[in-house]
């Protein structure tokens, strides 16, 4: 078939896709849609058939689609036939075998391979890779034009090997490089469920949920039921920190374990009636009265925010930690012709009081993302009359922020330095250390020196740019002053280990103890060094303090 004959076929196919969808536009919308579609189709046909040089019709169409989607939110993504096939192959491979993985979910967005969902317990997440990072190279190979499956083939591989990843991050002037260990894939979403083994926290339960998978609600339900059956459960910590979300139904069922039957858990409101829905608790709660604390972080998103928001709105739990991510947009996947598909945003999530948890506004449809202004945030009342606000994720009832990462810590994480030093330590010590003392920290510094570890601070990067600008402008007399600044920065860097010693020791302990303790013992050990967990257990142990938070 000649290319000219493809144009009317394409237009007819897309027109059928529009009219056979889930909604009929109003007359004015239909006229506008048809008018602009005719213009687009005619222009596309003229370009493909009449342009002076031959044009790749598929590539041109993909450019047009990507340009349209760039004006919307980053979660609305088109998948061509190759990407759909790649995704199916990837899922099938994941189901059939164990392999070494860096734990990064990658999608091609706006023509760029983008990290969309790093697993919270994965090595990639622990090294500092985050959603929105754009992959540039894997093991030295440029991946910007590769398919999703090919990129995952490069990222994943034999366990206990390393993937060298270079990526671009918004706000960073230069590409970032990470050394990410490949570890065996763990399909479970519940990493721990049981009682806190501590004399001072008798009767306190703890559940760590890393993601909301298809079976997560069953895992959590069974865990809560088992603890309640012991008749010794006095309080429960539900840890949703760094949980990026997942299956909505799991979030609804998990919220319902603690709330009355028929309570509204979450609602979706969209432009069209088919996208709007109210989800209620269909089950009798298992633990309706057990004191509850929900731990959240700035990377708790989507389904995590649905659970935290529902429990907060009914004053059923204390939400503790950092303000959550603020991802309150609903996506569905629509099949398109020729084995392609479109993942598009169709609605927003709202908590039982009617709060939107979305913290970024994409409503201008010009590609811009604007944080919801404080003046536009609305106040709502919880069941007990407390004031809560929308437009900024879920704000905790008790703010206990995680320690901010220094530039030294960030650089060490990117190089997987804590991970590999822990391997070195375990290989040279038969038993775990009683404590991470100054001697171990000095040994860590010496090991870094042997590994030729270096890093560049933001101040050094900006100073280098300033030096270039001054030299280009002929202001060479100012360069000696910059040399003094360089010396001052170098001196400050040499003091970083002493300044951040406590934090570095904590991170070293986290990795080193993982080499000596089984997962359960390791987690129990971590409770004694986790400020947010310590505060949660204190609140659960003090009924008056617990009620004071929920009654304020």
């Amino acid at each position: 078939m000649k290319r000219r004959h493809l144009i009317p076929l394409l237009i007819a196919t897309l027109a059928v896709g529009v009219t056979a969808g889930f909604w009929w536009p109003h007359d004015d919308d239909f006229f506008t849609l048809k008018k602009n579609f005719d213009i687009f189709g005619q222009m596309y046909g003229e370009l493909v058939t009449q342009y002076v040089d031959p044009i790749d019709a598929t590539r041109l169409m993909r450019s047009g689609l990507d340009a349209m989607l760039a004006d919307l939110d980053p979660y609305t993504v088109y998948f061509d036939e190759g990407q759909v096939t790649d995704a199916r192959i990837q899922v099938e491979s994941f189901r059939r075998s164990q392999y070494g993985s860096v734990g990064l979910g990658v999608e091609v967005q706006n023509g760029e391979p983008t990290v969309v969902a790093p697993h919270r317990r994965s090595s990639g997440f622990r090294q500092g890779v985050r959603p929105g990072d754009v992959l540039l190279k894997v093991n030295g190979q440029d991946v910007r034009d590769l398919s999703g499956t090919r990129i995952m083939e490069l990222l994943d591989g034999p366990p206990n090997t390393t993937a060298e990843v270079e990526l671009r991050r918004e706000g960073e002037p230069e590409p970032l490089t990470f050394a990410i260990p490949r570890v065996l894939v763990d399909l479970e979403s519940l990493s721990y469920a049981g009682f806190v083994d501590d004399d001072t926290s008798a009767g306190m339960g703890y559940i760590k949920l890393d993601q909301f998978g298809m079976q997560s609600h069953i895992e959590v339900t069974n865990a809560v039921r088992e603890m309640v059956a012991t008749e010794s459960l006095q309080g429960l910590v539900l840890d949703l920190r760094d949980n990026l979300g997942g299956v909505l139904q799991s979030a609804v069922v998990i919220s319902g374990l603690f709330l009355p039957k028929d309570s509204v858990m979450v609602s979706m409101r969209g432009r069209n009636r088919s996208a709007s829905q109210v989800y209620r608790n269909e089950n009798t709660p298992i633990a309706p009265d057990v004191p509850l604390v929900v731990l959240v972080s700035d990377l708790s998103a989507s389904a995590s925010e649905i659970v935290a928001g529902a429990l907060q709105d009914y004053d059923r739990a204390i939400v503790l930690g950092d303000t959550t991510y603020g991802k309150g947009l609903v996506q569905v996947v629509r099949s398109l012709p020729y084995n392609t598909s479109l993942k598009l945003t169709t609605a927003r999530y709202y908590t039982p009081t009617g709060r939107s948890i979305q913290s970024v506004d994409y409503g201008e449809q010009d590609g811009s993302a604007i944080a919801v202004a404080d003046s536009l945030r609305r106040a709502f009342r919880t069941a007990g009359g407390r004031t809560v606000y929308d437009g900024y994720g879920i704000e905790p009832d008790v703010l206990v922020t995680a320690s901010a990462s220094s530039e030294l810590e960030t650089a060490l994480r990117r190089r997987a330095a804590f991970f590999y030093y822990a391997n070195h330590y375990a290989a040279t010590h038969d038993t775990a250390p009683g404590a991470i003392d100054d001697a171990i920290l000095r040994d860590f510094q010496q090991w870094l020196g042997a590994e030729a570890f270096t890093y560049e601070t933001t101040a050094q990067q900006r100073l280098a740019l300033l030096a270039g600008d001054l030299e280009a402008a002929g202001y060479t007399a100012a360069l000696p002053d910059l040399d003094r600044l360089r010396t001052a920065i170098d001196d400050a860097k040499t003091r970083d280990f002493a300044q951040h010693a406590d934090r570095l020791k904590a991170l070293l302990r986290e990795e080193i103890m993982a080499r000596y303790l089984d997962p359960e013992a390791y987690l129990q050990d971590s409770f004694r060094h986790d400020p947010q967990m310590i505060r949660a257990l204190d609140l659960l142990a003090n009924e008056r303090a617990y009620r004071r938070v929920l009654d304020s």
Side-chain angles (χ1 to χ4, degrees), residues 200-338:
T200 62
S201 303
M204 299 303 170
Y206 176 79
I207 292 176
K208 180 69 184 82
L209 186 64
D210 295 308
Q211 62 180 348
F212 288 82
M214 295 296 294
Q215 303 298 315
S216 296
H217 62 290
I218 298 175
E219 295 177 49
V220 175
T221 298
N222 291 338
V224 174
R225 182 176 285 117
E226 289 176 7
M227 283 189 277
V228 169
T230 66
E231 298 184 356
S232 60
L233 183 63
Q234 302 298 313
L236 179 63
V237 177
L238 177 60
D239 192 345
L240 301 179
R241 288 177 294 184
D242 300 343
N243 184 323
L244 297 171
V247 179
L248 170 63
Q249 192 58 38
S250 284
V252 172
V253 174
I254 290 171
S255 301
L257 298 176
F258 311 100
L259 293 168
K261 188 175 182 179
D262 296 325
S263 300
V264 173
M265 302 288 97
V266 64
S267 61
M268 297 191 310
R269 304 177 201 167
R271 177 183 174 189
N272 304 294
R273 183 177 301 173
S274 62
S276 300
Q277 192 168 350
V278 176
Y279 292 85
R280 297 178 180 272
N281 180 22
E282 298 179 354
N283 304 308
T284 301
I286 294 175
D289 301 314
V290 174
L292 179 65
V293 173
V294 179
L295 299 183
V296 293
S297 71
D298 59 348
L299 286 175
S300 300
S302 192
S304 293
E305 295 172 297
I306 289 172
V307 172
L311 295 172
Q312 186 180 59
D313 280 3
Y314 287 109
D315 298 301
R316 178 60 188 85
I318 292 175
V319 178
L320 185 150
D322 286 294
T323 300
T324 62
Y325 187 81
K327 199 273 188 183
L329 300 177
V330 184
Q331 285 78 45
V332 299
V333 177
R334 302 290 196 216
S335 295
L336 299 178
Y338 299 103

Side-chain angles (χ1 to χ4, degrees), residues 140-152:
Q141 180 175 344
D142 193 314
V143 299
R144 283 169 286 188
D145 292 326
L146 298 184
S147 67
T149 294
R150 180 56 185 146
I151 294 173
M152 294 310 300

Side-chain angles (χ1 to χ4, degrees), residues 34-351:
K34 185 177 184 304
K35 170 186 173 183
N36 289 297
F37 191 80
D38 287 344
I39 294 171
F40 180 86
Q42 183 68 30
M43 184 181 73
Y44 178 72
E46 292 293 333
L47 289 172
V48 171
T49 60
Q50 303 296 329
Y51 188 71
V52 62
D53 297 318
I55 289 179
D56 184 328
T58 300
R59 186 184 181 97
L60 182 63
M61 175 58 76
R62 182 59 190 260
S63 297
L65 294 174
D66 288 342
M68 283 193 289
L69 298 182
D71 278 352
L72 307 177
D73 65 77
Y75 309 108
T76 298
V77 182
Y78 169 74
F79 300 99
D80 61 28
E81 184 174 7
Q83 290 171 309
V84 172
T85 302
D86 287 347
R88 289 172 179 165
I89 293 173
Q90 195 172 322
V91 169
E92 188 62 26
S93 299
F94 184 80
R95 287 175 176 171
R96 291 186 177 183
S97 64
Q98 282 192 323
Y99 58 94
S101 174
V102 298
L104 302 181
V106 178
E107 290 181 2
V108 177
Q109 296 188 354
N110 297 328
E112 296 183 315
T114 305
V115 177
V116 292
H119 192 283
R120 186 260 171 196
R121 281 187 288 158
S122 70
S123 55
F125 182 90
R126 293 175 69 180
Q127 301 319 117
V129 179
R130 293 294 179 260
D133 291 343
V134 175
L135 295 180
L136 303 176
K137 294 181 180 179
V138 176
N139 295 329
Q141 180 175 344
D142 193 314
V143 299
R144 283 169 286 188
D145 292 326
L146 298 184
S147 67
T149 294
R150 180 56 185 146
I151 294 173
M152 294 310 300
E153 288 174 353
L154 293 173
L155 286 172
D156 297 335
N160 301 318
T161 59
T162 301
E164 295 285 342
V165 175
E166 183 179 304
L167 54 83
R168 185 180 75 248
R169 178 176 296 169
E170 184 176 353
E172 294 286 349
E174 299 292 334
L176 306 177
T177 302
F178 295 83
I180 308 178
R182 299 183 177 102
V183 297
L184 282 176
V185 172
D186 183 359
L187 299 180
E188 294 183 356
S189 56
L190 192 65
S191 59
Y192 184 88
F195 286 93
V196 177
D197 186 15
D198 188 329
D199 293 339
T200 62
S201 303
M204 299 303 170
Y206 176 79
I207 292 176
K208 180 69 184 82
L209 186 64
D210 295 308
Q211 62 180 348
F212 288 82
M214 295 296 294
Q215 303 298 315
S216 296
H217 62 290
I218 298 175
E219 295 177 49
V220 175
T221 298
N222 291 338
V224 174
R225 182 176 285 117
E226 289 176 7
M227 283 189 277
V228 169
T230 66
E231 298 184 356
S232 60
L233 183 63
Q234 302 298 313
L236 179 63
V237 177
L238 177 60
D239 192 345
L240 301 179
R241 288 177 294 184
D242 300 343
N243 184 323
L244 297 171
V247 179
L248 170 63
Q249 192 58 38
S250 284
V252 172
V253 174
I254 290 171
S255 301
L257 298 176
F258 311 100
L259 293 168
K261 188 175 182 179
D262 296 325
S263 300
V264 173
M265 302 288 97
V266 64
S267 61
M268 297 191 310
R269 304 177 201 167
R271 177 183 174 189
N272 304 294
R273 183 177 301 173
S274 62
S276 300
Q277 192 168 350
V278 176
Y279 292 85
R280 297 178 180 272
N281 180 22
E282 298 179 354
N283 304 308
T284 301
I286 294 175
D289 301 314
V290 174
L292 179 65
V293 173
V294 179
L295 299 183
V296 293
S297 71
D298 59 348
L299 286 175
S300 300
S302 192
S304 293
E305 295 172 297
I306 289 172
V307 172
L311 295 172
Q312 186 180 59
D313 280 3
Y314 287 109
D315 298 301
R316 178 60 188 85
I318 292 175
V319 178
L320 185 150
D322 286 294
T323 300
T324 62
Y325 187 81
K327 199 273 188 183
L329 300 177
V330 184
Q331 285 78 45
V332 299
V333 177
R334 302 290 196 216
S335 295
L336 299 178
Y338 299 103
N339 197 32
T340 63
S341 64
L342 176 67
K343 184 180 75 170
L344 76 158
T345 299
T346 59
R348 291 181 174 86
Y349 287 123
Y350 294 85
T351 70

Side-chain angles (χ1 to χ4, degrees), residues 406-429:
S406 64
E407 290 191 277
L408 171 60
E409 177 187 332
T410 301
L412 290 169
R413 284 185 179 277
R414 290 173 185 164
R415 286 282 299 273
F418 301 109
F419 180 92
Y420 287 113
Y421 176 76
N423 290 345
H424 164 75
Y425 186 94
T428 54
H429 296 77

